[in-house]
Amino acid sequence: MPLTSFLLNVLWIIFGGLWMAIGWIVAAILMGVTIIGLPWTRAALNIALYTLLPFGQTAVSRAAQTGRDDLGTGLLGAIGNLIWLVLAGWWLALGHLITAVLLAITIIGIPFAWAHLKLAGIALWPIGKMIVPLDEAAFRR
């Protein structure tokens, strides 16, 4: 991890990243407790890690990254995303949006607010996405 990403991630954890990562872990636990929510547990844990350390990584479409479709990138993935949106996505996105607004009040907080806005989008529609290092995502493009 480059030094800049490391420093931004440390500041990120201090200014709202930790509590939102905990929110993702709570969502994963709630999904894991139910049998119906098990398919979303792993995705929520992956995004919890991304929420904890977002700088130096990005979320990309799994189909675009791998060059092939799978269950999560087709119709079943869309249905899964709709179920996720109702069960957990909206409150995680709301948490990211509220945190983004609070951080955007200061000039120093604007980069962190922008990261929370990106995470709010992922919170609404996470299935079919994968987290990759920035250089790998740029290489695939």
Side-chain angles (χ1 to χ4, degrees), residues 24-46 80 83-84 87-88 126-127:
W24 278 95
I25 291 170
V26 168
I29 291 169
L30 290 175
M31 292 294 125
V33 168
T34 67
I35 300 214
I36 228 168
L38 280 175
W40 295 278
T41 303
R42 181 171 175 239
L45 289 174
N46 287 338
I83 295 169
W84 169 263
L87 295 178
I127 299 172

Side-chain angles (χ1 to χ4, degrees), residues 56-58 60-62 64-66 130-141:
Q57 301 183 81
T58 189
V60 296
S61 165
R62 196 167 51 240
Q65 188 71 12
T66 62
M130 62 188 295
I131 311 303
V132 296
L134 283 174
D135 54 350
E136 185 178 325
F139 176 74
R140 292 283 182 178
R141 285 188 212 140

